Amino acid sequence: MYGKRSVYVLDANYDAYVDANWPTTLAEPAPPRRGTWVARPLDASMVATRAQTVAVRDAVTGTARLWDVRSLDEYEGSTTLPGAARPGRIPWTTRRVDWWLFRQDDGSWRNVSETRALAAETFGGATPDDTGPAHIFYCQSAVRTTQLIFGLARAGWPLERLKNYDGSWVEWSHLAAAEEIAIGE
């Protein structure tokens, strides 16, 4: 969102890093060098607002699909996490998706072909070249959503087709009218 395109992600976890024989030390690190990267102005095209999320309901042509990546208990409304005003989900959510869908049991990322196959199955045939509706993801506070977005981006989806509803359930649960919240299956 601020123009940084070269990033590193630890695939799996610390134990996998050690198992791969990558270097570790208990020695005090050298002072870090000052970087040269300068943030660009915020690119808000990757973020969905509450208004854009409401627009999914009102769209005649289906400009976006809305995905809830919280747990089943959160989705059905039997669990409310701290920060949320009340339980439930956005009624026009396309469906609930596990936020770890593109991760393997050991925490590492699935390969590109597995991710594409799972995405096509889960997101109604969607592919990286899909010109259909964009995808908007929400969770409790826009953190778990980044896992799905990152997995899709790794598999070739253009970032401009993947939006993170930054307010997510915390914002929605505080501002929504009664008809804008569903509870149950």
Side-chain angles (χ1 to χ4, degrees):
M1 291 177 16
Y2 292 98
K4 183 72 170 167
R5 297 291 185 226
S6 177
V7 297
Y8 296 92
V9 174
L10 177 59
D11 195 2
N13 56 34
Y14 179 76
D15 291 336
Y17 180 89
V18 171
D19 290 346
N21 294 317
W22 287 97
T24 61
T25 182
L26 295 176
E28 184 174 336
R33 287 185 304 124
R34 183 167 175 79
T36 59
W37 181 74
V38 176
R40 294 184 191 157
L42 171 69
D43 176 2
S45 68
M46 295 167 51
V47 178
T49 63
R50 185 177 192 288
Q52 290 168 319
T53 304
V54 169
V56 172
R57 174 193 63 193
D58 300 333
V60 176
T61 58
T63 57
R65 289 172 277 193
L66 183 62
W67 309 97
D68 185 329
V69 306
R70 299 173 303 150
S71 72
L72 183 59
D73 288 344
E74 290 170 273
Y75 178 81
E76 291 179 345
S78 61
T79 296
T80 306
L81 296 183
R86 48 194 163 160
R89 70 178 173 281
I90 302 171
W92 50 93
T93 297
T94 303
R95 74 181 268 209
R96 189 192 77 78
V97 178
D98 290 321
W99 64 269
W100 63 85
L101 179 66
F102 304 131
R103 306 296 288 268
Q104 298 183 77
D105 290 341
D106 69 357
S108 62
W109 292 97
R110 295 185 186 279
N111 67 43
V112 169
S113 61
E114 285 179 294
T115 298
R116 287 183 179 182
L118 282 168
E121 178 183 326
T122 305
F123 301 121
T127 68
D129 302 321
D130 183 9
T131 58
H135 302 276
I136 297 175
F137 300 91
Y138 76 96
C139 59
Q140 173 76 1
S141 60
V143 174
R144 287 176 276 180
T145 53
T146 62
Q147 300 288 312
L148 280 172
I149 292 169
F150 184 78
L152 289 167
R154 282 184 74 244
W157 265 259
L159 287 174
E160 59 270 9
R161 310 268 315 129
L162 309 170
K163 300 191 179 298
N164 191 352
Y165 171 29
D166 192 47
S168 278
W169 188 249
V170 168
E171 177 181 74
W172 194 269
S173 69
H174 284 272
L175 300 177
E179 68 274 5
E180 293 179 322
I181 293 182
I183 293 180
E185 292 181 26

